[in-house]
PDB file of all heavy atoms in Angstrom:
ATOM      1  N   THR A 178      -2.747  47.250  50.028  1.00 87.00           N
ATOM      2  CA  THR A 178      -2.219  48.595  49.589  1.00 87.00           C
ATOM      3  C   THR A 178      -3.072  49.119  48.518  1.00 87.00           C
ATOM      4  O   THR A 178      -3.259  48.575  47.433  1.00 87.00           O
ATOM      5  CB  THR A 178      -0.780  48.451  49.053  1.00 87.00           C
ATOM      6  OG1 THR A 178       0.027  47.893  50.096  1.00 87.00           O
ATOM      7  CG2 THR A 178      -0.184  49.784  48.706  1.00 87.00           C
ATOM      8  N   LEU A 179      -3.708  50.361  48.741  1.00 84.00           N
ATOM      9  CA  LEU A 179      -4.441  50.921  47.731  1.00 84.00           C
ATOM     10  C   LEU A 179      -3.637  51.851  46.801  1.00 84.00           C
ATOM     11  O   LEU A 179      -2.649  52.356  47.135  1.00 84.00           O
ATOM     12  CB  LEU A 179      -5.496  51.888  48.467  1.00 84.00           C
ATOM     13  CG  LEU A 179      -6.455  51.174  49.376  1.00 84.00           C
ATOM     14  CD1 LEU A 179      -7.439  52.132  50.073  1.00 84.00           C
ATOM     15  CD2 LEU A 179      -7.356  50.062  48.671  1.00 84.00           C
ATOM     16  N   PRO A 180      -4.127  51.954  45.622  1.00 79.00           N
ATOM     17  CA  PRO A 180      -3.332  52.819  44.602  1.00 79.00           C
ATOM     18  C   PRO A 180      -3.309  54.281  44.971  1.00 79.00           C
ATOM     19  O   PRO A 180      -4.179  54.737  45.763  1.00 79.00           O
ATOM     20  CB  PRO A 180      -4.141  52.572  43.287  1.00 79.00           C
ATOM     21  CG  PRO A 180      -5.482  52.250  43.778  1.00 79.00           C
ATOM     22  CD  PRO A 180      -5.312  51.399  44.956  1.00 79.00           C
ATOM     23  N   GLU A 181      -2.324  54.941  44.508  1.00 80.00           N
ATOM     24  CA  GLU A 181      -2.122  56.323  44.926  1.00 80.00           C
ATOM     25  C   GLU A 181      -3.395  57.216  44.512  1.00 80.00           C
ATOM     26  O   GLU A 181      -3.621  58.273  45.186  1.00 80.00           O
ATOM     27  CB  GLU A 181      -0.848  56.891  44.268  1.00 80.00           C
ATOM     28  CG  GLU A 181       0.450  56.214  44.703  1.00 80.00           C
ATOM     29  CD  GLU A 181       1.660  56.869  44.238  1.00 80.00           C
ATOM     30  OE1 GLU A 181       1.483  57.788  43.296  1.00 80.00           O
ATOM     31  OE2 GLU A 181       2.818  56.448  44.375  1.00 80.00           O
ATOM     32  N   ASN A 182      -3.977  56.884  43.406  1.00 79.00           N
ATOM     33  CA  ASN A 182      -5.126  57.711  42.979  1.00 79.00           C
ATOM     34  C   ASN A 182      -6.492  57.152  43.568  1.00 79.00           C
ATOM     35  O   ASN A 182      -7.489  57.470  43.191  1.00 79.00           O
ATOM     36  CB  ASN A 182      -5.211  57.656  41.477  1.00 79.00           C
ATOM     37  CG  ASN A 182      -5.383  56.283  40.919  1.00 79.00           C
ATOM     38  OD1 ASN A 182      -5.330  55.307  41.617  1.00 79.00           O
ATOM     39  ND2 ASN A 182      -5.750  56.167  39.626  1.00 79.00           N
ATOM     40  N   TRP A 183      -6.338  56.349  44.642  1.00 77.00           N
ATOM     41  CA  TRP A 183      -7.571  55.842  45.293  1.00 77.00           C
ATOM     42  C   TRP A 183      -8.459  56.996  45.790  1.00 77.00           C
ATOM     43  O   TRP A 183      -7.999  57.962  46.496  1.00 77.00           O
ATOM     44  CB  TRP A 183      -7.265  54.902  46.439  1.00 77.00           C
ATOM     45  CG  TRP A 183      -8.497  54.441  47.174  1.00 77.00           C
ATOM     46  CD1 TRP A 183      -8.890  55.010  48.425  1.00 77.00           C
ATOM     47  CD2 TRP A 183      -9.299  53.388  46.932  1.00 77.00           C
ATOM     48  NE1 TRP A 183     -10.005  54.355  48.798  1.00 77.00           N
ATOM     49  CE2 TRP A 183     -10.278  53.362  47.933  1.00 77.00           C
ATOM     50  CE3 TRP A 183      -9.325  52.474  45.806  1.00 77.00           C
ATOM     51  CZ2 TRP A 183     -11.351  52.417  47.841  1.00 77.00           C
ATOM     52  CZ3 TRP A 183     -10.315  51.517  45.804  1.00 77.00           C
ATOM     53  CH2 TRP A 183     -11.401  51.538  46.803  1.00 77.00           C
ATOM     54  N   ASN A 184      -9.744  57.020  45.453  1.00 75.00           N
ATOM     55  CA  ASN A 184     -10.569  57.996  45.869  1.00 75.00           C
ATOM     56  C   ASN A 184     -11.957  57.340  46.451  1.00 75.00           C
ATOM     57  O   ASN A 184     -12.773  56.941  45.664  1.00 75.00           O
ATOM     58  CB  ASN A 184     -11.000  58.941  44.673  1.00 75.00           C
ATOM     59  CG  ASN A 184     -11.989  60.068  45.062  1.00 75.00           C
ATOM     60  OD1 ASN A 184     -12.297  60.328  46.277  1.00 75.00           O
ATOM     61  ND2 ASN A 184     -12.454  60.802  44.033  1.00 75.00           N
ATOM     62  N   PRO A 185     -12.067  57.385  47.720  1.00 70.00           N
ATOM     63  CA  PRO A 185     -13.279  56.743  48.344  1.00 70.00           C
ATOM     64  C   PRO A 185     -14.593  57.391  47.881  1.00 70.00           C
ATOM     65  O   PRO A 185     -15.666  56.830  48.036  1.00 70.00           O
ATOM     66  CB  PRO A 185     -13.017  56.785  49.798  1.00 70.00           C
ATOM     67  CG  PRO A 185     -12.088  57.923  49.994  1.00 70.00           C
ATOM     68  CD  PRO A 185     -11.128  57.978  48.739  1.00 70.00           C
ATOM     69  N   ASP A 186     -14.452  58.611  47.493  1.00 71.00           N
ATOM     70  CA  ASP A 186     -15.724  59.332  47.121  1.00 71.00           C
ATOM     71  C   ASP A 186     -16.407  58.620  45.887  1.00 71.00           C
ATOM     72  O   ASP A 186     -17.614  58.847  45.648  1.00 71.00           O
ATOM     73  CB  ASP A 186     -15.483  60.804  46.788  1.00 71.00           C
ATOM     74  CG  ASP A 186     -15.047  61.555  47.984  1.00 71.00           C
ATOM     75  OD1 ASP A 186     -15.468  61.146  49.084  1.00 71.00           O
ATOM     76  OD2 ASP A 186     -14.465  62.642  47.901  1.00 71.00           O
ATOM     77  N   GLU A 187     -15.557  57.915  45.065  1.00 68.00           N
ATOM     78  CA  GLU A 187     -16.179  57.248  43.927  1.00 68.00           C
ATOM     79  C   GLU A 187     -17.182  56.164  44.267  1.00 68.00           C
ATOM     80  O   GLU A 187     -18.027  55.730  43.536  1.00 68.00           O
ATOM     81  CB  GLU A 187     -15.041  56.692  43.135  1.00 68.00           C
ATOM     82  CG  GLU A 187     -14.149  57.662  42.445  1.00 68.00           C
ATOM     83  CD  GLU A 187     -13.061  56.977  41.648  1.00 68.00           C
ATOM     84  OE1 GLU A 187     -13.085  55.711  41.610  1.00 68.00           O
ATOM     85  OE2 GLU A 187     -12.181  57.692  41.115  1.00 68.00           O
ATOM     86  N   PHE A 188     -17.090  55.749  45.578  1.00 65.00           N
ATOM     87  CA  PHE A 188     -17.930  54.607  45.967  1.00 65.00           C
ATOM     88  C   PHE A 188     -19.131  55.134  46.847  1.00 65.00           C
ATOM     89  O   PHE A 188     -19.759  54.299  47.478  1.00 65.00           O
ATOM     90  CB  PHE A 188     -17.116  53.606  46.805  1.00 65.00           C
ATOM     91  CG  PHE A 188     -16.059  53.068  45.892  1.00 65.00           C
ATOM     92  CD1 PHE A 188     -14.821  53.595  45.908  1.00 65.00           C
ATOM     93  CD2 PHE A 188     -16.288  51.894  45.097  1.00 65.00           C
ATOM     94  CE1 PHE A 188     -13.813  53.074  45.034  1.00 65.00           C
ATOM     95  CE2 PHE A 188     -15.322  51.298  44.371  1.00 65.00           C
ATOM     96  CZ  PHE A 188     -14.041  51.929  44.297  1.00 65.00           C
ATOM     97  N   LYS A 189     -19.276  56.472  46.964  1.00 68.00           N
ATOM     98  CA  LYS A 189     -20.467  57.023  47.758  1.00 68.00           C
ATOM     99  C   LYS A 189     -21.748  56.749  46.992  1.00 68.00           C
ATOM    100  O   LYS A 189     -21.823  56.757  45.739  1.00 68.00           O
ATOM    101  CB  LYS A 189     -20.247  58.453  48.003  1.00 68.00           C
ATOM    102  CG  LYS A 189     -19.129  58.806  49.067  1.00 68.00           C
ATOM    103  CD  LYS A 189     -19.077  60.304  49.321  1.00 68.00           C
ATOM    104  CE  LYS A 189     -18.134  60.562  50.506  1.00 68.00           C
ATOM    105  NZ  LYS A 189     -18.024  61.979  50.846  1.00 68.00           N
ATOM    106  N   ILE A 190     -22.746  56.478  47.859  1.00 66.00           N
ATOM    107  CA  ILE A 190     -24.049  56.290  47.209  1.00 66.00           C
ATOM    108  C   ILE A 190     -24.788  57.621  47.137  1.00 66.00           C
ATOM    109  O   ILE A 190     -24.839  58.432  48.092  1.00 66.00           O
ATOM    110  CB  ILE A 190     -24.916  55.369  48.100  1.00 66.00           C
ATOM    111  CG1 ILE A 190     -24.221  53.982  48.143  1.00 66.00           C
ATOM    112  CG2 ILE A 190     -26.285  55.146  47.498  1.00 66.00           C
ATOM    113  CD1 ILE A 190     -23.999  53.289  46.888  1.00 66.00           C
ATOM    114  N   ASP A 191     -25.309  57.912  45.930  1.00 68.00           N
ATOM    115  CA  ASP A 191     -26.105  59.150  45.688  1.00 68.00           C
ATOM    116  C   ASP A 191     -27.527  58.722  45.944  1.00 68.00           C
ATOM    117  O   ASP A 191     -28.233  58.017  45.226  1.00 68.00           O
ATOM    118  CB  ASP A 191     -26.029  59.562  44.219  1.00 68.00           C
ATOM    119  CG  ASP A 191     -26.684  60.784  44.032  1.00 68.00           C
ATOM    120  OD1 ASP A 191     -27.471  61.366  44.853  1.00 68.00           O
ATOM    121  OD2 ASP A 191     -26.571  61.343  42.768  1.00 68.00           O
ATOM    122  N   GLU A 192     -28.014  59.300  47.146  1.00 68.00           N
ATOM    123  CA  GLU A 192     -29.376  58.962  47.610  1.00 68.00           C
ATOM    124  C   GLU A 192     -30.451  59.511  46.632  1.00 68.00           C
ATOM    125  O   GLU A 192     -31.683  59.077  46.703  1.00 68.00           O
ATOM    126  CB  GLU A 192     -29.569  59.523  48.974  1.00 68.00           C
ATOM    127  CG  GLU A 192     -28.697  58.801  49.985  1.00 68.00           C
ATOM    128  CD  GLU A 192     -29.051  59.362  51.408  1.00 68.00           C
ATOM    129  OE1 GLU A 192     -29.903  60.269  51.617  1.00 68.00           O
ATOM    130  OE2 GLU A 192     -28.383  58.857  52.399  1.00 68.00           O
ATOM    131  N   ASN A 193     -30.100  60.403  45.813  1.00 75.00           N
ATOM    132  CA  ASN A 193     -30.995  60.991  44.762  1.00 75.00           C
ATOM    133  C   ASN A 193     -31.096  60.343  43.448  1.00 75.00           C
ATOM    134  O   ASN A 193     -31.790  60.696  42.561  1.00 75.00           O
ATOM    135  CB  ASN A 193     -30.779  62.518  44.640  1.00 75.00           C
ATOM    136  CG  ASN A 193     -31.000  63.253  45.932  1.00 75.00           C
ATOM    137  OD1 ASN A 193     -31.895  63.086  46.610  1.00 75.00           O
ATOM    138  ND2 ASN A 193     -29.921  64.210  46.117  1.00 75.00           N
ATOM    139  N   ASN A 194     -30.191  59.269  43.466  1.00 73.00           N
ATOM    140  CA  ASN A 194     -29.999  58.476  42.197  1.00 73.00           C
ATOM    141  C   ASN A 194     -30.792  57.105  42.346  1.00 73.00           C
ATOM    142  O   ASN A 194     -30.332  56.282  43.229  1.00 73.00           O
ATOM    143  CB  ASN A 194     -28.518  58.291  41.845  1.00 73.00           C
ATOM    144  CG  ASN A 194     -28.281  57.658  40.500  1.00 73.00           C
ATOM    145  OD1 ASN A 194     -28.715  56.539  40.306  1.00 73.00           O
ATOM    146  ND2 ASN A 194     -27.705  58.394  39.599  1.00 73.00           N
TER     147      ASN A 194
END
Side-chain angles (χ1 to χ4, degrees):
T178 302
L179 299 178
E181 294 182 0
N182 61 349
W183 174 262
N184 181 9
D186 290 339
E187 294 181 2
F188 299 90
K189 286 185 176 180
I190 301 298
D191 183 354
E192 296 183 358
N193 297 316
N194 186 296

